[in-house]
Amino acid sequence: MAEPLKRLSYRLLAGGVYAVLLAAALWAGFDLGQARVTTLMQPELSALDAQRLDLVAQRDALRDEIAAALRERVISERSHQIDRETARALTDQLKEAQDARLELSREISYLKRLVQEGGRGAIRVQDLRIVSDGTPKAFRYAFTLTQVVPGFAESTGHIRFEIEGRNASGVVTLSLEDLPSAEPRTLPIALEYLQSLSGSFALPDDFEPSAVLIGIEPSDDRLIPTSESFPWAPTAEAPLGSLLEALSRGA
């Protein structure tokens, strides 16, 4: 009975040793194969890693170029905006300078006439504004009269308000008396320092205006007859009260 148990024990022990040796051999073969595969693939792995690093470098370079391009575009757009604003400001300043020059030219003309006439006064027309009345060919207007010579006596007379333009027959000049819808039809002068006047009119459908002529016709020889021409430049609709208030502030 003891002999068979011994033989069985020897067999089991031998089987265990064989299994251990087999596992060791397999593991050694696996390590050897892995090492050989690693050795064979190492150049390719190194090349792939180098490519990866190169692509990363290219990506970073492209990011820097894009950021620089965006900064340049922002700077360029800002520069263009500044140029446009500068050009607009210069245009506005030029217009203001031209308007001021025209105003000074008119004032010099008045003063020259006063010197030539000697002791006579004159009236100036200022701040003419024509506003669309909301319907075609209908307009409102307002302007201010001022004495050129401060402290001159009260002035009286009549204002000639005319619209110059063209129709089918050619060049035409229409006065307020020629326009049935004009209100008022006549504009009297009665001022000591300044006078604000306003009114409304509607133009014929076939009439295309180009300028407004305002003439001062004094009632006596103490004033010099004068006239001024203004380009036709109506503005958007606005309350006439606000227009007169603005004229009063400007005066």
Side-chain angles (χ1 to χ4, degrees):
M1 186 66 182
E3 191 64 25
L5 290 174
K6 287 182 179 182
R7 285 199 296 271
L8 180 59
S9 298
Y10 289 148
R11 289 177 181 175
L12 292 174
L13 181 60
V17 172
Y18 178 75
V20 171
L21 292 175
L22 180 61
L26 291 174
W27 182 259
F30 174 77
D31 284 345
L32 181 61
Q34 185 178 24
R36 291 183 63 187
V37 170
T38 302
T39 301
L40 292 174
M41 297 295 295
Q42 187 63 39
E44 296 184 10
L45 292 175
S46 298
L48 290 173
D49 190 58
Q51 292 179 3
R52 181 184 65 83
L53 294 176
D54 183 61
L55 290 173
V56 169
Q58 292 182 22
R59 181 201 63 188
D60 294 340
L62 288 174
R63 285 179 176 175
D64 293 339
E65 291 179 3
I66 291 173
L70 290 175
R71 286 194 298 270
E72 291 180 359
R73 188 183 71 178
V74 170
I75 293 173
S76 177
E77 290 178 352
R78 181 56 180 166
S79 177
H80 288 315
Q81 182 180 1
I82 292 174
D83 290 342
R84 288 194 299 269
E85 292 175 353
T86 301
R88 187 183 304 111
L90 290 176
T91 301
D92 293 340
Q93 291 177 7
L94 178 61
K95 184 179 182 302
E96 291 176 359
Q98 291 175 339
D99 292 342
R101 181 179 178 182
L102 179 60
E103 188 70 17
L104 287 174
S105 178
R106 289 174 174 170
E107 186 169 352
I108 290 173
S109 177
Y110 274 118
L111 294 176
K112 284 182 178 179
R113 293 191 63 180
L114 287 175
V115 171
Q116 292 172 357
E117 296 292 337
R120 299 176 69 185
I123 296 175
R124 294 186 59 193
V125 178
Q126 293 180 304
D127 300 322
L128 172 65
R129 300 187 186 183
I130 299 177
V131 180
S132 174
D133 203 19
T135 57
K137 299 294 185 177
F139 302 92
R140 287 172 287 160
Y141 64 89
F143 60 93
T144 302
L145 302 180
T146 58
Q147 291 277 16
V148 175
V149 180
F152 195 80
E154 182 179 1
S155 302
T156 59
H158 175 73
I159 297 173
R160 189 177 72 257
F161 191 99
E162 298 174 331
I163 301 97
E164 299 176 339
R166 299 181 65 90
N167 59 14
S169 61
V171 178
V172 178
T173 299
L174 301 176
S175 66
L176 294 179
E177 289 82 356
D178 298 325
L179 303 173
S181 62
E183 179 61 38
R185 303 290 294 277
T186 60
L187 298 173
I189 299 173
L191 79 154
E192 185 172 352
Y193 300 106
L194 62 85
Q195 178 181 0
S196 295
L197 298 104
S198 62
S200 62
F201 59 86
L203 298 174
D205 292 337
D206 63 343
F207 182 80
E208 292 299 329
S210 59
V212 175
L213 178 65
I214 300 179
I216 304 299
E217 299 178 351
S219 59
D220 55 54
D221 59 0
R222 294 181 305 146
L223 291 176
I224 300 172
T226 57
S227 64
E228 290 194 59
S229 180
F230 300 88
W232 179 261
T235 59
E237 183 177 3
L240 188 57
S242 300
L243 186 58
L244 293 175
E245 183 181 352
L247 289 175
S248 299
R249 289 199 301 266

